[in-house]
């Protein structure tokens, strides 16, 4: 299975900055033969990114979506609008949306279902906060987030699904989880997904680690049999650091 490395740009980059990045990363795509690379710009840059990446194997992802197809939902973006822009992946349930913007498990479930119904591939984020970790609740928190998200989904769609284990305390802090912690959580993700969707389906599930990943530490994560790639924030904003990260990952996973 190829690695999957996704860039989450969050609320960064104008259209011109997006085009410059995409042109440069596209020029280096031959180096990324063992990796599915996904770029997730803000909504305002999706079209520019799609145009700049066209003709390349690099995929386009969004950072969020709404679950209805159309209607009176001011400020929201519907799945068909993303499909129309050539979007193939969508991040769902990122911790910044859960903790800063009040997104709950019910909303995450509806978004996941809507994405799959429109053949958008979800990158579903789960992970515990520092306080939850200190209270020894990691397994309960990750397990609950995942069970509520996956409840009632069609197991045939699992091939489309990517789950990113992203401990909240590791995001943007420069303190990544240890490989042992990431392995424990990724194994739990696979067990729970098997419980919800069946063990046959779960063999095709892809699991990422996310949280302060860079070119120096990515190797520890992708060398694990439980981890298929990474969701990357800060280190995905500059072409050099993102490309170096992908190359290190490929080297370690070989
Ligand atoms: C993220 O936001 O998904 C993330 C992993 O950020 P960072 O790599 O900056 O920790």
């Amino acid at each position: 299975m190829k690695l999957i490395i996704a860039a989450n740009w969050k609320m960064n980059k104008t259209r011109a900055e997006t085009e410059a990045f995409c042109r440069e990363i596209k020029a280096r795509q031959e180096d990324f033969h063992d990796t599915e690379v996904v770029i997730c710009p803000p909504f305002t840059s999706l079209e520019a990114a799609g145009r700049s990446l066209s003709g390349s194997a690099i995929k386009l992802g969004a950072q969020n979506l709404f679950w209805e197809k159309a209607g009176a939902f001011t400020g929201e973006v519907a799945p068909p609008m993303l499909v129309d822009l050539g979007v193939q992946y969508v991040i769902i349930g990122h911790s910044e949306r859960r903790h800063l913007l009040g997104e709950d498990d019910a909303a995450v479930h509806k978004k996941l279902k809507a994405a799959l119904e429109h053949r958008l591939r979800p990158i579903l984020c789960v992970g515990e906060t520092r306080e939850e970790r200190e209270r020894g609740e990691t397994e309960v928190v990750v397990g609950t987030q995942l069970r509520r998200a996956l409840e009632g989904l069609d197991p045939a769609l699992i091939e489309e699904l990517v789950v990113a284990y992203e401990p909240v305390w590791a995001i943007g802090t420069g303190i990544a989880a240890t490989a042992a912690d990431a392995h424990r959580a990724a194994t739990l993700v696979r067990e729970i997904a098997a419980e919800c969707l069946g063990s046959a389906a779960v063999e095709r599930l892809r699991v990422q680690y996310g949280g302060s990943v860079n070119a120096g530490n990515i190797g520890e994560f992708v060398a694990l049999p439980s981890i298929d790639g990474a969701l990357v924030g800060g280190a995905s904003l500059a072409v050099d650091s993102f490309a170096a990260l992908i190359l290190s990952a490929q080297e370690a996973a070989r």
Side-chain angles (χ1 to χ4, degrees):
M1 202 190 277
K2 272 191 171 189
L3 292 169
I4 174 162
I5 299 189
N8 175 15
W9 286 356
K10 314 190 185 196
M11 198 174 69
N12 290 292
K13 294 197 192 292
T14 61
R15 285 178 302 160
E17 290 164 344
T18 297
E19 280 161 6
F21 181 106
C22 290
R23 265 198 308 272
E24 232 188 290
I25 202 86
K26 185 176 165 179
R28 301 193 198 185
Q29 65 159 332
E30 308 262 287
D31 298 340
F32 309 146
H33 33 77
D34 297 332
T35 307
E36 187 173 1
V37 178
V38 185
I39 308 287
C40 305
F43 288 136
T44 46
S45 282
L46 280 171
E47 185 165 20
R51 212 179 315 107
S52 307
L53 294 172
S54 82
S56 82
I58 299 172
K59 309 273 172 46
L60 186 62
Q63 297 174 18
N64 186 24
L65 86 177
F66 193 62
W67 53 81
E68 295 289 349
K69 285 201 227 13
F73 303 101
T74 302
E76 296 295 341
V77 175
M81 297 170 182
L82 298 180
V83 172
D84 183 47
L85 288 169
V87 169
Q88 289 163 285
Y89 281 88
V90 59
I91 298 171
I92 294 177
H94 190 277
S95 67
E96 285 148 20
R97 297 212 57 82
R98 290 180 190 263
H99 297 291
L100 302 176
L101 296 154
E103 203 163 288
D104 62 12
D105 288 332
V108 169
H109 173 70
K110 285 193 264 189
K111 290 181 178 197
L112 188 62
K113 233 170 137 243
L116 289 168
E117 278 163 11
H118 290 85
R119 290 291 187 266
L120 289 162
R121 296 182 168 167
I123 299 176
L124 169 67
C125 302
V126 294
E128 81 287 0
T129 63
R130 176 176 304 286
E131 295 72 31
E132 289 163 343
R133 176 182 164 81
E134 284 167 359
R135 289 198 299 266
E137 294 171 2
T138 299
E139 295 199 356
V140 174
V141 171
V142 170
T144 304
Q145 288 174 343
L146 198 57
R147 278 194 189 89
R148 290 190 177 151
L150 299 183
E151 210 164 44
L153 288 190
D154 178 357
L157 296 174
I158 189 116
E159 251 172 84
E160 312 291 328
L161 179 66
V162 179
V163 177
Y165 167 61
E166 294 212 307
V168 181
W169 48 270
I171 295 178
T173 58
I175 303 164
T178 61
D181 279 346
H183 178 61
R184 208 171 300 120
T187 304
L188 176 72
V189 164
R190 290 180 191 282
E191 284 167 6
I192 290 170
E195 210 181 90
C196 297
L197 301 168
S199 45
V202 165
E203 277 167 32
R204 304 190 302 276
L205 176 69
R206 293 180 294 172
V207 180
Q208 294 175 315
Y209 166 74
S212 297
V213 174
N214 55 45
N217 63 18
I218 181 73
E220 296 167 33
F221 299 107
V222 297
L224 297 166
S226 54
I227 293 183
D228 306 298
L231 181 55
V232 186
S236 75
L237 289 171
V239 176
D240 284 344
S241 60
F242 190 51
L245 185 155
I246 297 168
L247 296 182
S248 301
Q250 291 185 157
E251 191 61 37
R254 204 165 276 155

